[in-house]
Amino acid sequence: MDVWLAEEPDSYDPQMMRARVLVERALRAHRQQHTGVAAYENRARHAAQMATQRAPQDPVPWVCLLALAQIDVHQRRPEHCVRPVEPMLPPGPWGLLDEVGRRDPCNREAYHRILQFLLSRAVSRSAQLASVFDFGRWVASWAPVGTPMLLLPAYAKIEQCRLYRAEGKVHPLWRRQWAEEPMRTYALDAFRGWFQKAEPAMRSVTDMSYLAYALWASHQFLEAAAVFTAMEPYATREPWDSLEERPPGPDGGQALMLRARRESLAYAHSHTPPSAPHSPPAGRNGHLA
């Protein structure tokens, strides 16, 4: 990055890349409770703000500013405690999300940055999880067909399990909740409204992995098999690693993923009607030739 910037100091692309890197450094410093997190954040914020002025129509600098909202857990900055249009949601960086939306409606990263912000707020765990679910449900209620935002309820549910597991509170029957309403409907809506509608080249392996888990856990095996087949030959560690019911191991959730894939494909194979036999062409007077 520094070499690129030195070679092209007036180019916007290396400047934007630098802002991206600085944002990730600030977030990592925050997660690690580094003593210099404020300095990292200030550098990242300045770089992102400069990029907004350099390229006013680019949504990426605004996504960077939205990402930095996770560090402000007490929401002291005015732009991080704006009232939302949805009354069920808490104050947050909704103005920054609107700035992204004006430039790139339905920007996937922006909505996932909001999820992380809601989980970072200095409120009770129950309030955090409630806001995450409310956000996921709200977005899914209006998300356009063909967008992966229809998966946000599944992401919110998996975040719940990840947090509870970290606290040692995962109930052994937790996965059954996926087979109940409304999670089963959310999983099917994402399959029909996103997976079946989006261009295959635009479907990320990560999103397909989350959808595959949601469908398998909700006993929608035919649909899960279709997603697993589309993913081949790729896979991701998440959400399998966070949802493995056994203690974390070196396989990174591979055993759970292979089990879900095996069960889904076996069900699909046993419930797929056999192909109709090929009939030879008919000859004159209706007789077979």
Side-chain angles (χ1 to χ4, degrees):
M1 178 193 70
D2 292 334
V3 173
W4 186 14
L5 193 59
E7 291 178 349
E8 302 179 38
D10 296 325
S11 175
Y12 173 73
D13 289 339
Q15 291 178 2
M16 188 64 254
M17 180 62 71
R18 178 175 179 272
R20 278 284 207 183
V21 171
L22 291 175
V23 167
E24 292 307 317
R25 285 177 181 172
L27 292 175
R28 185 170 65 249
H30 172 66
R31 289 191 296 268
Q32 297 174 350
Q33 299 181 338
H34 195 283
T35 55
V37 63
Y40 283 110
E41 179 189 4
N42 288 336
R43 290 180 63 197
R45 190 177 304 281
H46 176 73
Q49 289 173 338
M50 292 294 291
T52 65
Q53 300 174 21
R54 180 76 185 274
Q57 298 307 314
D58 187 0
V60 177
W62 295 99
V63 173
C64 290
L65 292 172
L66 188 57
L68 291 173
Q70 300 171 45
I71 299 175
D72 186 14
V73 297
H74 295 286
Q75 298 175 258
R76 293 192 173 98
R77 299 184 70 89
E79 64 267 31
H80 298 161
C81 53
V82 175
R83 285 286 177 184
V85 295
E86 168 55 47
M88 292 293 291
L89 296 175
W94 305 110
L96 297 177
L97 182 62
D98 288 342
E99 293 288 355
V100 177
R102 292 190 189 101
R103 295 160 175 82
D104 181 20
C106 303
N107 181 286
R108 179 189 180 280
E109 182 182 354
Y111 283 85
H112 280 265
R113 293 296 189 180
I114 288 286
L115 275 183
Q116 296 305 313
F117 163 80
L118 293 172
L119 288 167
S120 70
R121 293 187 307 137
V123 295
S124 68
R125 180 69 78 206
S126 60
Q128 285 181 342
L129 294 176
S131 65
V132 167
F133 281 120
D134 288 339
F135 177 67
R137 287 192 289 261
W138 173 64
V139 173
S141 71
W142 56 261
V145 168
T147 63
M149 292 195 306
L150 291 168
L151 279 166
L152 280 176
Y155 274 92
K157 187 69 173 175
I158 290 168
E159 287 293 345
Q160 178 193 40
C161 181
R162 182 179 289 120
L163 291 172
Y164 282 164
R165 181 185 178 188
E167 297 173 353
K169 299 178 181 178
V170 176
H171 193 278
L173 301 180
W174 181 84
R175 204 173 76 225
R176 290 189 179 181
Q177 298 176 23
W178 289 86
E180 301 170 354
E181 295 300 341
M183 294 312 302
R184 178 172 55 192
T185 294
Y186 285 135
L188 287 172
D189 285 349
F191 176 79
R192 295 165 182 160
W194 170 67
F195 179 81
Q196 290 188 319
K197 301 293 185 182
E199 291 292 332
M202 302 302 293
R203 299 185 309 218
S204 76
V205 178
T206 298
D207 285 337
M208 286 193 287
S209 293
Y210 275 73
L211 178 58
Y213 177 86
L215 292 167
W216 169 72
S218 59
H219 302 165
Q220 308 305 308
F221 300 117
L222 286 174
E223 291 81 0
V227 178
F228 276 117
T229 301
M231 286 170 54
E232 294 178 352
Y234 304 104
T236 59
R237 293 178 65 94
E238 294 295 341
W240 315 102
D241 192 23
S242 294
L243 299 174
E244 176 61 74
E245 296 169 0
R246 300 176 302 177
D251 71 346
Q254 178 177 317
L256 179 62
M257 187 275 289
L258 292 176
R259 173 191 167 191
R261 180 181 180 276
R262 182 173 61 252
E263 292 178 358
S264 300
L265 294 179
Y267 183 92
H269 179 74
S270 63
H271 287 73
T272 301
S275 301
H278 177 69
S279 300
R284 293 181 181 179
N285 302 321
H287 296 293
L288 295 179

